[in-house]
Amino acid sequence: MDFDQILAKCGDFNRYQFMILALFGFINIIVSMHYFTQTVISFVPDHWCYHDKLVNMTYKQIGEIYAQFGEESSCTRLEDINGPSNVTVSKEKCDKWIYNYDFGYRSMNTELNWVCDSAYKARIGQSLFFIGSVVGTLFYGLLSDKIGRVPALILSNFCGFAGDFSTIFTKSVGTFTLCRFISGLAADTNFYLMYIIVLEYIRPSMRTLGLNMAVGLFYCLGLVFTPWLAVLAGHWQIYLACTSLPILLVVLYYFVVQESAQWLVTRNDIDGAIVRLKRVAKFNGCRVTQAEFDEFRRHCQMTREMQGGDEKKTATLLDMFRTPRMRKNTLILFFKSMVITLCYDAVSRNVEGMGISPFIMFSLSALAVLPSSILLVLLQDRIGRKGMASGSLLVGGLFTAASGIAIAYQQHNHNAILLACLTIAARFGVAISYESGSQYATELIPTCVRGQGVAAVHVAGFAASFLAPYILWLGTFFKAAPSIILGVLFFAGSFVCLLLPETLNRSLPTTIEEGEVFGKGERMFDFPCLQHSHDDDEESDSELEKYKRKHSLIDAKQMESSSNGKRKQSLIDADREEQALKDAKH
């Protein structure tokens, strides 16, 4: 009896699964606010260099005066103002500004005057956030495979709280960048560790529905609410306090979320896994006999003995590169993550300079997350993980490239509505790719290295996001260049996804050996939606299942041989005792 079978008896889509999906929803809300905190606290409204004669003017009048200086109007200091068109420019740099606050919200950039020549200071903090995310993802990914998913989840979220809350008290670039680095240590482990836990405790056929609807509803809710929470708070420090304090509630997960039973099995803690499964069964009101748990224990012991016993070294991330098929799949997952994260970050943060309030633009583009999740639920279990990953990347590439070309033709006369529609369309395509990619990677990577493997995949994505500013910088030479480049990357990612095996309705690999044979023999265009029922029956007899059956039979024969040997030895010992008694009588 393997893990999926014993989990089905304990309840694999019951009360406990609904509870952890709700807790996962809460994680999505706080993660959405945490990830985009830097964007919200750095919003820069329309601003102009301060002058005494501008104090009693309306923002419209001030804008008309500065309009004659073009793009540099916000940073131009005026010497004297004798009329709307009779002004003299000062050679001195501006050190004070007049801000037209959006909805009255005072951001960090406006309070610290990090605009014009000082605008780079906020960008340094963003760079350190991404550096922190690379370090944190690797560290907590390794830690989750050492001490468990739940403790690592709590520690990473606490790190996010510490970084965001301490940012409230920063006044200099040095302390600000340090706080953003600490905050970045939590991204993206504060999300995907809970994702792994939920995935491992849910029935395979319900993973797409449960996971993607949780992400779609709660992540979308968090994104839409985030800018308006800032407006309600009115000040960036109050906003940070409101978004960071709820993170502390994740500590309570230690008492209600069960540690990954599959991970415990890979650590040879079968008793611990059974204890967690018994708790799940009790919570779900399911009755599971001790004999069934003993059968699961024997299966785990046989599997471990088949793989070399207790003396076998623990698998590491490097083991994913030792065999050819695992190496190929891992590199493809790395490349796909780099493409998706790079495009997702560039599209999601590009909400300023479009002729619409960044608060409104941020919320409108966030609305694309829910439809993308619904589409995943409707299609992913029909066309399969591979088809959805490849197709979503293809659609995302088309949306992104088309929006870039359209923007290039609108560069002198911006149509705010058109730009908003194109941005939302691009966000829709990227969101589908991001959500489908997260589930695909988590299912493909074997349980024994899932924490490290998923962490490495996310690190590759964060590392690629460093290229986003340079790709966007190419827009100064040709407006459509960034979107076209991103579109080409999308198309390349779409192609390589076809080389990955399908995971729909399959038993997931738990060891490196199983990961190597998983999906062996599949062709590039083998999709579940294109197969007939009799083909499905044949496909279900995958190489992984054959591998498990083969070694289970071998192990059963070994146990039978061992049992026969013991019985034979017992008979020999009995004969010897009987002969000894006869000799004693004589």
Side-chain angles (χ1 to χ4, degrees), residues 290-309:
Q290 185 60 43
E292 290 171 323
F293 283 118
D294 290 339
E295 186 179 348
F296 171 67
R297 185 195 304 276
R298 287 194 295 273
H299 169 79
C300 295
Q301 291 172 341
M302 286 191 302
T303 303
R304 188 162 187 85
E305 290 172 4
M306 175 185 72
Q307 294 163 1

Side-chain angles (χ1 to χ4, degrees), residues 567-586:
R567 283 198 298 269
K568 186 182 293 185
Q569 185 64 41
S570 297
L571 290 172
I572 294 172
D573 292 340
D575 289 340
R576 287 177 178 175
E577 289 178 5
E578 185 178 352
Q579 185 64 40
L581 288 173
K582 290 179 180 179
D583 294 340
K585 287 180 181 180
H586 291 297

Side-chain angles (χ1 to χ4, degrees), residues 307-327:
Q307 294 163 1
D310 295 341
E311 294 76 21
K312 183 178 175 66
K313 71 180 184 68
T314 303
T316 65
L317 180 65
L318 293 178
D319 292 322
M320 296 174 65
F321 295 91
R322 298 191 190 281
T323 54
R325 296 192 73 257
M326 275 296 298
R327 181 166 56 247

Side-chain angles (χ1 to χ4, degrees), residues 494-557:
S494 175
F495 172 75
V496 297
C497 279
L498 296 174
L499 304 176
L500 291 172
E502 180 57 63
T503 62
L504 178 62
N505 295 330
R506 302 281 178 82
S507 295
L508 303 183
T510 58
T511 65
I512 296 295
E513 292 79 8
E514 292 178 1
E516 175 64 16
V517 300
F518 184 80
K520 192 174 182 180
E522 286 187 23
R523 293 166 296 182
M524 182 181 290
F525 294 103
D526 280 346
F527 302 117
C529 60
L530 300 179
Q531 296 169 351
H532 300 292
S533 58
H534 65 276
D535 293 329
D536 292 336
D537 295 336
E538 292 176 3
E539 278 298 317
S540 64
D541 195 21
S542 64
E543 288 293 327
L544 177 57
E545 297 300 330
K546 293 176 182 177
Y547 174 85
K548 288 182 176 180
R549 267 202 315 275
K550 174 184 175 182
H551 288 277
S552 294
L553 287 171
I554 292 174
D555 195 75
K557 288 179 180 179

Side-chain angles (χ1 to χ4, degrees), residues 156-340:
S156 66
N157 274 279
F158 184 79
C159 204
F161 159 77
D164 282 354
F165 194 77
S166 59
T167 303
I168 296 173
F169 308 101
T170 59
K171 296 294 182 182
S172 65
V173 179
T175 55
F176 175 69
T177 52
L178 176 61
C179 291
R180 299 320 297 159
F181 175 81
I182 296 173
S183 178
L185 291 172
D188 197 34
T189 47
N190 55 357
F191 167 81
Y192 80 76
L193 287 178
M194 188 64 185
Y195 189 99
I196 291 174
I197 293 171
V198 176
L199 180 141
E200 291 179 348
Y201 274 112
I202 285 187
R203 183 189 311 161
S205 61
M206 300 303 295
R207 285 171 185 157
T208 297
L209 174 63
L211 289 168
N212 287 294
M213 287 309 298
V215 173
L217 286 172
F218 294 100
Y219 195 76
C220 179
L221 178 64
L223 288 178
V224 172
F225 181 65
T226 290
W228 305 110
L229 176 61
V231 171
L232 185 65
H235 194 276
W236 68 277
Q237 291 175 315
I238 299 176
Y239 165 76
L240 276 176
C242 292
T243 57
S244 59
L245 288 174
I247 300 177
L248 292 176
L249 294 174
V250 178
V251 175
L252 300 177
Y253 282 33
Y254 183 80
F255 304 101
V256 292
V257 177
Q258 300 303 317
E259 183 54 79
S260 167
Q262 282 189 332
W263 172 79
L264 289 169
V265 169
T266 65
R267 305 298 294 181
N268 200 31
D269 186 4
I270 303 173
D271 291 334
I274 291 176
V275 168
R276 270 66 176 189
L277 288 169
K278 285 182 177 179
R279 290 174 183 172
V280 172
K282 182 179 179 180
F283 193 93
N284 286 334
C286 298
R287 293 184 178 181
V288 185
T289 64
Q290 185 60 43
E292 290 171 323
F293 283 118
D294 290 339
E295 186 179 348
F296 171 67
R297 185 195 304 276
R298 287 194 295 273
H299 169 79
C300 295
Q301 291 172 341
M302 286 191 302
T303 303
R304 188 162 187 85
E305 290 172 4
M306 175 185 72
Q307 294 163 1
D310 295 341
E311 294 76 21
K312 183 178 175 66
K313 71 180 184 68
T314 303
T316 65
L317 180 65
L318 293 178
D319 292 322
M320 296 174 65
F321 295 91
R322 298 191 190 281
T323 54
R325 296 192 73 257
M326 275 296 298
R327 181 166 56 247
K328 180 198 72 174
N329 293 344
T330 303
L331 291 175
I332 291 174
L333 290 174
F334 279 12
F335 179 74
K336 182 168 68 70
S337 177
M338 293 168 69
V339 169
I340 294 174

Side-chain angles (χ1 to χ4, degrees), residues 297-491:
R297 185 195 304 276
R298 287 194 295 273
H299 169 79
C300 295
Q301 291 172 341
M302 286 191 302
T303 303
R304 188 162 187 85
E305 290 172 4
M306 175 185 72
Q307 294 163 1
D310 295 341
E311 294 76 21
K312 183 178 175 66
K313 71 180 184 68
T314 303
T316 65
L317 180 65
L318 293 178
D319 292 322
M320 296 174 65
F321 295 91
R322 298 191 190 281
T323 54
R325 296 192 73 257
M326 275 296 298
R327 181 166 56 247
K328 180 198 72 174
N329 293 344
T330 303
L331 291 175
I332 291 174
L333 290 174
F334 279 12
F335 179 74
K336 182 168 68 70
S337 177
M338 293 168 69
V339 169
I340 294 174
T341 307
L342 176 61
C343 297
Y344 183 85
D345 193 73
V347 173
S348 300
R349 297 181 187 277
N350 188 26
V351 296
E352 296 186 79
M354 294 190 177
I356 301 177
S357 167
F359 295 96
I360 296 175
M361 191 66 240
F362 192 96
S363 292
L364 287 176
S365 62
L367 289 174
V369 175
L370 181 56
S372 67
S373 296
I374 294 174
L375 190 65
L376 275 175
V377 170
L378 295 175
L379 296 181
Q380 185 155 264
D381 282 347
R382 295 177 182 271
I383 66 176
R385 311 293 193 253
K386 178 167 67 173
M388 199 66 199
S390 180
S392 61
L393 284 168
L394 179 63
V395 172
L398 292 173
F399 275 142
T400 305
S403 64
I405 294 172
I407 289 172
Y409 285 101
Q410 292 283 324
Q411 56 182 316
H412 298 299
N413 184 22
H414 288 305
N415 185 321
I417 296 177
L418 176 62
L419 290 180
C421 292
L422 290 172
T423 301
I424 293 171
R427 177 70 177 269
F428 177 75
V430 172
I432 295 176
S433 304
Y434 197 87
E435 291 183 46
S436 64
S438 296
Q439 183 174 349
Y440 202 10
T442 307
E443 291 179 343
L444 268 179
I445 297 173
T447 304
C448 62
V449 289
R450 187 164 288 155
Q452 302 173 53
V454 175
V457 169
H458 282 255
V459 164
F462 280 124
S465 65
F466 288 127
L467 298 175
Y470 300 102
I471 292 177
L472 296 176
W473 175 71
L474 294 176
T476 58
F477 303 100
F478 178 51
K479 288 290 184 181
S483 295
I484 293 175
I485 292 173
L486 295 177
V488 170
L489 289 173
F490 264 124
F491 296 146

